[in-house]
Amino acid sequence: MHLIGIEEHFLTPEIDRAWRSLGLEQTDPSVALHAGTWHGRLMNLADERLALMDETGLDVQVLSLTTPALHDLGVESVDIARRTNDTLAAAVARYPQRFQALATLPVSQPEAAALELERCIDELGFKGTMLCGRVGSRHLDDPALMPILAQAESLGVPVLLHPRVPPPAVRQAYYGGISPALDTALATYGLGWHYDAGLQFLRLVLAGTFDRLPRLQVILGHWGEMVLFYIERLAAMERVASLSRPIADYCRANLYVTASGMFLPHYLARAAAVVGHERLLFSTDFPYQYRAGGDARAFLERCGLAGRAKAAFAHGNWQRLTRGAGVS
């Protein structure tokens, strides 16, 4: 069965240098985590990556820039984004049966980002884009960032909301004071990343973004970044939110959910109960969750789905979601 992973990351030397020139390895611990084996695998868009895809059983990777993407860069990010997307398009052209792509955007420059998204979809054949939460001090529901989301809706392409590290004050107040290593782990892959991404989606809902952009489709990794497990509790906010629909309805109409390498059948079952089987997507969160032993293919076989539901999870839902993307 054809297996497509829709959250599979890469990095370029230019972006790595840009992060370090800003000193982000001192202020964003996720930058420092991109080292060693992970660093090499992020940089590789050829033989090594393909070999690991074959080993785990993945037929296609949908490539996206790893966190924190270009969210901390200024006007220089416009040219960096364009060069990055051209590099990505060349990789997809070399291996068109193995790679697809999500656009890298200069999000601090929203109008330019909207234009670059249009170029990536219409000219380069990309399938959507990925955003990493806050842009400076602005959350994704900030009106200044609306051109990016409006463009995604207009083009009919999805936006993957990827985690990023919480701001320093939050890290100090809630995740600090244990030990340097544990503080970093708790604020990133342990918990902080996932609260941050889930909050970005909830802020979009509560700000009425999906009422204004009803066709906008958003993807959350890690089985919904905590949101789906608290959907009943979140409904209590409907008493004070000026929304057109119940919060759960936005999850069923505007949200897709992917595994991000968390290969747990009971998490899949919970996600399906909230958003429906037609909104489940497969992903391995390469290279961070890569495990040897045919892991991706093994999970597909034991995930609890069969027949059409399994095929939809493996590839069909993604193909339907992106049917109109990159066809110009």
Side-chain angles (χ1 to χ4, degrees):
M1 183 175 289
H2 199 60
L3 190 56
I4 302 175
I6 68 99
E7 186 192 344
E8 320 301 331
H9 300 302
F10 76 96
L11 180 61
T12 69
E14 181 182 27
I15 292 173
D16 195 32
R17 290 192 300 270
W19 287 348
R20 296 179 191 282
S21 71
L22 291 175
L24 287 185
E25 72 273 20
Q26 304 299 321
T27 59
D28 185 335
S30 64
V31 172
L33 290 174
H34 299 141
T37 299
W38 284 351
H39 188 270
R41 289 175 178 175
L42 285 165
M43 294 284 185
N44 187 282
L45 291 174
D47 293 348
E48 181 186 359
R49 182 178 293 255
L50 293 169
L52 293 177
M53 289 168 61
D54 291 341
E55 193 285 324
T56 201
L58 201 62
D59 295 298
V60 176
Q61 281 192 353
V62 182
L63 302 167
S64 55
L65 178 61
T66 194
T67 189
L70 304 184
H71 284 235
D72 295 294
L73 279 68
V75 67
E76 71 276 14
S77 65
V78 176
D79 289 338
I80 294 175
R82 190 177 184 91
R83 288 192 292 269
T84 301
N85 290 321
D86 288 344
T87 296
L88 203 52
V92 173
R94 284 194 300 272
Y95 304 103
Q97 304 304 314
R98 306 304 304 272
F99 294 150
Q100 297 177 17
L102 297 180
T104 298
L105 299 181
V107 287
S108 68
Q109 314 296 312
E111 297 291 346
L115 291 174
E116 179 63 7
L117 178 57
E118 183 178 38
R119 184 182 81 94
C120 286
I121 303 304
D122 290 346
E123 297 181 22
L124 303 184
F126 289 10
K127 300 302 182 181
T129 189
M130 189 187 85
L131 303 179
C132 292
R134 301 176 330 281
V135 181
S137 62
R138 296 177 296 185
H139 295 281
L140 294 181
D141 60 288
D142 191 296
L145 300 175
M146 186 59 65
I148 302 172
L149 300 177
Q151 183 74 286
E153 190 208 35
S154 176
L155 292 166
V157 297
V159 177
L160 173 61
L161 296 188
H162 191 275
R164 72 167 302 178
V165 69
V170 175
R171 297 205 306 271
Q172 181 177 355
Y174 285 94
Y175 302 105
I178 305 172
S179 71
L182 282 173
D183 293 354
T184 294
L186 188 59
T188 55
Y189 55 84
L191 197 63
W193 272 345
H194 311 297
Y195 276 154
D196 189 80
L199 281 168
Q200 293 301 318
F201 172 73
L202 288 174
R203 289 184 64 99
L204 290 174
V205 172
L206 296 171
T209 304
F210 298 109
D211 291 335
R212 293 188 293 276
L213 302 173
R215 293 179 291 110
L216 178 63
Q217 299 298 314
V218 165
I219 303 167
L220 282 177
H222 307 96
W223 298 118
E225 307 291 9
M226 310 289 187
V227 171
L228 304 189
F229 296 93
Y230 281 85
I231 196 67
E232 291 86 359
R233 186 67 172 176
L234 295 172
M237 291 189 289
E238 293 163 10
R239 297 193 298 266
V240 294
S242 299
L243 297 173
S244 299
R245 295 173 281 154
I247 290 172
D249 281 9
Y250 297 98
C251 292
R252 290 188 285 267
N254 300 100
L255 179 64
Y256 283 75
V257 178
T258 187
S260 305
M262 294 175 63
F263 293 153
L264 302 167
H266 58 295
Y267 277 30
L268 183 154
R270 173 59 177 172
V274 177
V275 304
H277 286 100
E278 69 278 7
R279 288 180 168 269
L280 302 181
L281 303 170
F282 195 93
S283 64
T284 74
D285 199 8
F286 181 90
Y288 309 108
Q289 293 281 75
Y290 171 77
R291 296 170 291 260
D295 203 38
R297 186 69 56 172
F299 178 64
L300 182 65
E301 295 308 314
R302 61 177 174 81
C303 70
L305 301 177
R308 291 182 179 178
K310 179 189 283 189
F313 177 47
H315 60 265
N317 290 338
W318 176 251
Q319 291 171 337
R320 187 189 71 253
L321 174 61
T322 61
R323 183 178 297 127
V327 296
S328 297

